[in-house]
Amino acid sequence: MSSLRSVFGTILLACCALTLGATAAQAQPPSRLDDRQVEQIMRGVERRSDTFRTSLDAALDRGRLDGTRTEDEINELVREFTGATDNLRERFDGRRSVAADVENVLGRAGRIDAFMRRNRLTVRTQNDWTALRVDLDRLANAYNVSWGWNRPGYPSGGGQQQPYRLSDAQVEAIISRVETRADAYRKSADQALDESRLDGTRTEDELNEFVKAFETATDQLRSRFNDRRSVAADVENVLDRAVQLDRFMGRNALLARAERDWSLLKNELDELSRAYNVTPRWVNRIYSPDSQNTGGRLTGTYRLDVARSDDARAVAERATRDLPNNARQRIMDLLLRRLESPNALAIDQRGRSVTIASSRAPQLTSMQRARAS
C-alpha cells in the first residue's frame, strides 16, 4: 500500500509540473470583480431586461408594428437575448461563467440595439433600453470584454465581427467535416447496436435520442452559420449534446468501427471548439490496444477537462493590462506559455517506473522507491 501511495504521489507531482497553467488559471475568477459585485450587476441586467420587455410589449401592441413581421423580428431577438442571459446566469451560479458567455449576451443585445435605432418606439421603451445598455456596459467591463455599441466595423451596433478566429471558408470546411463524420458515426452506431445485445432495448432508445438531439444542434449551428448569425453558444450547444454521446460510448462497448467513427467525430468537434474559442466539455480516456486489461494501472492517454480552468488569455490580459504598451504583448505571451494547460496527458506505468508526457511538455520519467509499511 505504501508503494502504491508513492506511485500516486509522484504522478500527482508530475501532473502539477505539467499542468501548472491550469492550476494557476483556476485561482483567478473570470471577472475583474468579486462574486458579490458581479452578482449585483447581473441582477441589474435581469431587472432592466424585465422592465424593457414589459414596455416593449406595450409599445408594440399600441403601435403601427402590431401584428407585423417587424414585431415578430424583435420578439425573436428578445427571446434570444433572454436565452443568453439565462445561460450566463446558470453558468455564473455554477461558477463556470467566462467572457464568451458575456460576449454572447452582448451579441444578442447588439441586434436589439440595431432594431431600436431603426424603429421609433415610445419614449419609455427607449429610456428602458438605454438604462439596460448601461448595465450591459458594466457587465462587459466586469468580464474585461471589449465592447462598443456604435463602433465602426461591428455589426448590429456591438459584438465582434466574427465569433470565430478563422475565415468563413475554413469554418465552413470544419462544419462540413463534422456533418460528414456525424453521418458516418450514426450509421456505424446503428449497425453496432443491431448486432449487439442492446438491440431493441431501452439503451438503444437512449442512444437514438442522444443522436437526434446532437443532429438537431448541428443543424441549428449550420443554419445560423449560413445566415452569418452563429455564435459560441451555438457550438456549446453542439458540444453539450456530444457529451451525452461520449458518456454513452464510455459506458457501452460497441463495435470497433463505431468507436473509431466516434473518435474521428470528436477530433472534428475539437477543431470546431478551437475555431469558436470554446472549451470542449468532455473528459475522456483514449485507450491504446496495449492499455487494456492492465489490472487497474494508470497506463493510457487522458484528455484533460480544461473547462474547469479559467481562460488563460483572459487571465494574462488582466495581469498585464496596466503595463506599458511596448512591454504588454511580450509579457502576455510569456504568461500564456506558462498558463495554458495541455490538451492531453500520456501516462505509462511499468513496475516502479512512471513516464508522463503532455501535449505541452516533453516526456518525464520517475523511478519509485517502495517504503516499508
Side-chain angles (χ1 to χ4, degrees):
M1 181 63 70
S2 297
S3 177
L4 182 59
R5 285 198 299 267
S6 177
V7 169
F8 275 103
T10 300
I11 291 174
L12 179 60
L13 288 175
C15 289
C16 287
L18 291 168
T19 60
L20 178 61
T23 305
Q26 286 178 326
Q28 294 290 334
S31 63
R32 60 174 71 179
L33 306 177
D34 60 39
D35 287 348
R36 181 182 58 81
Q37 292 171 310
V38 177
E39 167 71 25
Q40 290 176 346
I41 293 174
M42 291 184 60
R43 285 185 180 178
V45 168
E46 292 165 340
R47 233 179 2 253
R48 299 286 192 191
S49 298
D50 291 341
T51 301
F52 166 69
R53 189 167 57 246
T54 299
S55 63
L56 174 66
D57 288 342
L60 291 172
D61 290 342
R62 299 171 188 170
R64 59 182 174 78
L65 299 179
D66 186 36
T68 65
R69 285 179 131 187
T70 306
E71 181 182 31
D72 294 338
E73 177 191 358
I74 184 60
N75 286 335
E76 178 63 24
L77 294 177
V78 170
R79 276 194 294 271
E80 290 181 351
F81 173 76
T82 301
T85 54
D86 289 346
N87 180 69
L88 172 62
R89 161 59 72 179
E90 178 183 353
R91 290 176 61 82
F92 175 79
D93 289 344
R95 303 183 68 83
R96 296 182 295 116
S97 63
V98 294
D101 300 318
V102 176
E103 289 174 350
N104 186 30
V105 170
L106 295 172
R108 313 292 185 177
R111 298 187 181 102
I112 296 176
D113 190 60
F115 178 94
M116 296 297 291
R117 287 186 281 111
R118 291 195 308 266
N119 300 274
R120 299 175 66 86
L121 300 179
T122 63
V123 173
R124 178 182 175 185
T125 305
Q126 295 288 348
N127 289 341
D128 288 342
W129 176 246
T130 299
L132 175 54
R133 277 182 35 164
V134 172
D135 282 332
L136 289 171
D137 285 338
R138 294 178 62 204
L139 182 67
N141 185 62
Y143 278 78
N144 199 27
V145 173
S146 179
W147 179 255
W149 296 96
N150 299 304
R151 185 177 301 170
Y154 281 62
S156 303
Q160 295 181 357
Q161 190 170 5
Q162 290 180 334
Y164 37 84
R165 60 180 68 179
L166 305 177
S167 68
D168 288 347
Q170 290 172 310
V171 176
E172 157 70 28
I174 293 173
I175 293 177
S176 294
R177 291 199 301 270
V178 167
E179 293 168 332
T180 300
R181 295 296 188 190
D183 289 341
Y185 165 70
R186 184 179 63 250
K187 292 176 182 176
S188 60
D190 286 343
Q191 180 183 358
L193 288 172
D194 291 342
E195 299 177 9
S196 74
R197 59 182 176 78
L198 301 177
D199 186 36
T201 65
R202 280 189 171 185
T203 304
E204 181 181 31
D205 294 338
E206 179 186 22
L207 177 59
N208 289 334
E209 187 63 30
F210 290 157
V211 169
K212 181 180 178 181
F214 176 77
E215 289 179 337
T216 299
T218 52
D219 288 346
Q220 177 179 311
L221 171 63
R222 161 60 74 181
S223 175
R224 294 179 63 82
F225 174 80
N226 289 344
D227 293 340
R228 301 184 64 83
R229 295 188 299 123
S230 65
V231 295
D234 299 319
V235 175
E236 290 175 341
N237 187 33
V238 171
L239 295 174
D240 287 340
R241 302 297 178 264
V243 165
Q244 295 175 319
L245 286 169
D246 192 52
R247 290 171 180 166
F248 180 94
M249 297 298 290
R251 294 193 304 267
N252 300 277
L254 299 183
L255 295 178
R257 179 180 175 185
E259 297 280 357
R260 184 183 68 249
D261 287 342
W262 175 243
S263 179
L264 293 172
L265 174 54
K266 285 180 65 174
N267 289 338
E268 299 301 341
L269 290 172
D270 285 340
E271 289 294 323
L272 182 66
S273 302
R274 284 190 284 271
Y276 279 80
N277 198 28
V278 171
T279 303
R281 299 293 194 270
W282 44 62
V283 184
N284 70 312
R285 180 172 178 173
I286 310 167
Y287 290 93
S288 57
D290 62 350
S291 66
Q292 302 286 347
N293 302 319
T294 56
R297 292 192 303 143
L298 296 177
T299 296
T301 303
Y302 299 80
R303 194 180 303 277
L304 304 185
D305 183 10
V306 294
R308 298 186 180 182
S309 177
D310 290 334
D311 179 55
R313 179 167 293 278
V315 174
E317 287 177 349
R318 286 199 300 271
T320 59
R321 62 173 177 260
D322 295 328
L323 294 178
N325 291 336
N326 59 352
R328 186 170 185 268
Q329 189 60 52
R330 180 176 59 83
I331 301 299
M332 185 185 301
D333 291 341
L334 290 173
L335 284 175
L336 281 174
R337 285 198 291 270
R338 294 285 187 133
L339 293 177
E340 287 186 340
S341 59
N343 295 321
L345 281 177
I347 301 177
D348 181 22
Q349 179 190 347
R350 299 178 183 274
R352 296 178 182 176
S353 174
V354 179
T355 301
I356 302 178
S358 83
S359 55
R360 293 184 56 83
Q363 179 175 296
L364 172 68
T365 301
S366 176
M367 295 294 296
Q368 308 301 313
R369 290 183 300 172
R371 293 181 180 178
S373 306

